[in-house]
Amino acid sequence: MHFCTAFFMSIKQIRNNLSEWHRTIDRKLPWKEDRNPYKIWVSEIILQQTRVAQGIPYYLAFLLKFPTLKHLAEANLEEVITQWEGLGYYSRARNLHKGANYIMETHNGVFPKEYEEILLIPGIGPYTAAAISSFAFDGMHAVVDGNVNRVLSRMFNIDEDLSKHIGKKKIKKLSQDLLEIAGNPASFNQAIMDFGATVCTPKPKCEICPMTKQCVAKKLERTLELPQKKTKPKLRKRWFHYLVYNQNGKSYIVKRVNKDIWKDLFEFPMQECSEIEWKKLEGVKLSQKLSHQHIHACFTEVKKMPIKYKTGQKVDWKNISSYSFPRLIRDYIGQR
């Protein structure tokens, strides 16, 4: 059989098996079956760096606070950051707010339908634009996330690093070919993503997979090798010393404004120090692991704040929980 014909037949069979499999499952998620582009956008941004189970309550709470794009645009950034508290990667919240204002100003509050126009919204890249385009407007754009990468790299035995250009290009071409044969972009994109999330997982459930006959990695016993693992960045360790002013029911807090973790969130006046210095400190010691950093913090209560730290704002302790804090500091406040 000619290679192109065989390739087409393989893709067609995968499409058919995937569609049949998807009809047998009922993966209920609050953003599925919703054609509202604003809600789809919010769900996709939350799920960029958040597990589905963790993301669901945040998604529901966010939409309760900002039920429409207009509500989000009219809110101040502080409100949005506060609502996002606990999800991390706060640039996502800033970009949602910025994007909502962009749509209000550029498109008179109407979410654009065309993929190219969606791509111009601040904080939206090719993946999110494809998701919104296909799920909300039936746009013929393949959605390629980590689940899709895993499924297709195994199905077609793709060895390339999928974080590099060649690997990305191969996966994009395959997923687009599958999508165009399927003819129903929203249904197909959801099916392949669900398949990667529930069957073709990092430890694949090959015993219940309906596509083992088409899976090249299975035939070659390479399912655990693919996709190629990216080298994890080295975890950076940091040591923070917080001075917690506590006098007459008052304290000092400072907003983080530099390009660093927790931008736009509040903290107590802080001095970053060395591990040796940190170990000698007295106070409450807590830690938090981020994706690329491990933060060790020591909170020392003081009755008098050094002059250089008085640039923050003085607040009442009884109102302090109304400000946006990183989880680490929120944990300290909750236990003191």
Side-chain angles (χ1 to χ4, degrees), residues 221-273:
E221 297 184 350
R222 299 194 65 213
T223 52
L224 292 177
E225 296 175 31
L226 298 173
Q228 292 284 2
K229 307 295 187 294
K230 292 189 291 185
T231 303
K232 289 186 178 181
K234 189 176 180 181
L235 195 68
R236 179 187 177 192
K237 295 182 180 180
R238 299 173 75 178
W239 291 268
F240 293 175
H241 183 207
Y242 287 109
L243 291 182
V244 184
Y245 177 73
N246 183 16
Q247 182 79 336
N248 300 322
K250 303 285 186 181
S251 189
Y252 276 100
I253 59 173
V254 181
K255 180 180 273 193
R256 293 178 67 90
V257 294
N258 296 328
K259 287 187 176 181
D260 197 354
I261 57 170
W262 303 332
K263 187 173 181 285
D264 291 324
L265 272 69
F266 287 92
E267 65 180 355
F268 298 109
M270 184 269 287
Q271 178 69 50
E272 191 161 359
C273 56

Side-chain angles (χ1 to χ4, degrees), residues 81-118:
I81 293 293
T82 299
Q83 192 62 39
W84 201 264
E85 190 177 305
L87 272 173
Y89 295 93
Y90 289 88
S91 60
R92 295 182 292 169
R94 289 192 291 272
N95 282 330
L96 271 172
H97 186 251
K98 188 176 179 181
N101 280 281
Y102 170 87
I103 295 169
M104 293 298 296
E105 294 166 7
T106 310
H107 298 281
N108 205 24
V110 179
F111 212 105
K113 292 184 177 182
E114 299 301 322
Y115 172 84
E116 290 74 16
E117 290 184 332
I118 297 173

